[in-house]
Amino acid sequence: MISGSNGYNKNAPPASQPGFKSPVKLGGAINAPNDPITNTNTYMGYKFFSFNQVQTFSNGVAACTAACTAQTAYNSRHPPKAPAKPSVCNQAVVYVLSQNNQPQGIYSSMYSEEWAPNYATNYGQYRGSGYWSVSSAYAYTNGTYAASYGPICAVGGCPSGSFRGGNCGGYGAGTC
């Protein structure tokens, strides 16, 4: 027993990842609408890593940011028809996905633009009789992208440095 301790502990945030700015703690997973200016979908898909694959949360974070980087490389090698530009994974949202309170693994959603924490409103959902929940959610944003652009935020309480949208993702110059 530790004198003065009431038994609480706080987990440290996951480590920074090469090429990404420090993680931002989120209340849930990002529930991103289309970009408010261009009406384009910035969602690029997801990757799921079971704990059998990654063993720990920190290994899952590394796998997710590597998957984001790999998706950008794949898209650049397989570009869409001109004038469209390949999508760049500029934000990976990493979290533990649980079914009925049993952790299943690490889930990573990828986006071509960074979304503000205000959009982290997906805490879980029912699928049939099972409840799938989100915990330990963090956003990792590509460091090069973050140096030029802030997060999209077109709702109340936006963080400073955010913008209302505009196609900043991809290899082309955006209108932000």
Side-chain angles (χ1 to χ4, degrees):
M1 179 72 106
I2 298 173
S3 178
S5 173
N6 56 8
Y8 295 104
N9 77 26
K10 181 179 178 183
N11 292 331
S16 295
Q17 296 295 309
F20 292 82
K21 75 177 188 177
S22 294
V24 173
K25 175 80 172 136
L26 301 174
I30 296 290
N31 191 13
N34 283 351
D35 181 291
I37 301 294
T38 64
N39 197 34
T40 55
N41 186 354
T42 65
Y43 177 70
M44 295 178 60
Y46 73 93
K47 298 290 183 192
F48 178 78
F49 301 96
S50 72
F51 284 117
N52 289 337
Q53 293 172 289
V54 295
Q55 306 296 313
T56 66
F57 183 72
S58 56
N59 288 347
V61 167
C64 288
T65 55
C68 183
T69 301
Q71 187 65 54
T72 296
Y74 177 86
N75 290 354
S76 69
R77 290 189 312 270
H78 302 89
K81 291 184 181 183
K85 306 282 186 191
S87 290
V88 175
C89 181
N90 284 313
Q91 185 180 51
V93 176
V94 180
Y95 55 90
V96 175
L97 183 64
S98 298
Q99 181 183 25
N100 299 323
N101 294 320
Q102 297 297 314
Q104 302 298 306
I106 306 299
Y107 194 99
S108 177
S109 298
M110 297 179 282
Y111 299 93
S112 62
E113 295 178 15
E114 177 186 10
W115 288 91
N118 305 51
Y119 290 92
T121 59
N122 181 352
Y123 311 112
Q125 56 191 279
Y126 282 95
R127 295 287 177 154
S129 62
Y131 184 69
W132 292 85
S133 59
V134 171
S135 62
S136 300
Y138 289 87
Y140 284 83
T141 302
N142 177 294
T144 304
Y145 178 87
S148 298
Y149 307 110
I152 294 175
C153 190
V155 296
C158 294
S160 67
S162 61
F163 65 98
R164 297 191 70 72
N167 188 14
C168 295
Y171 287 108
T175 54
C176 297

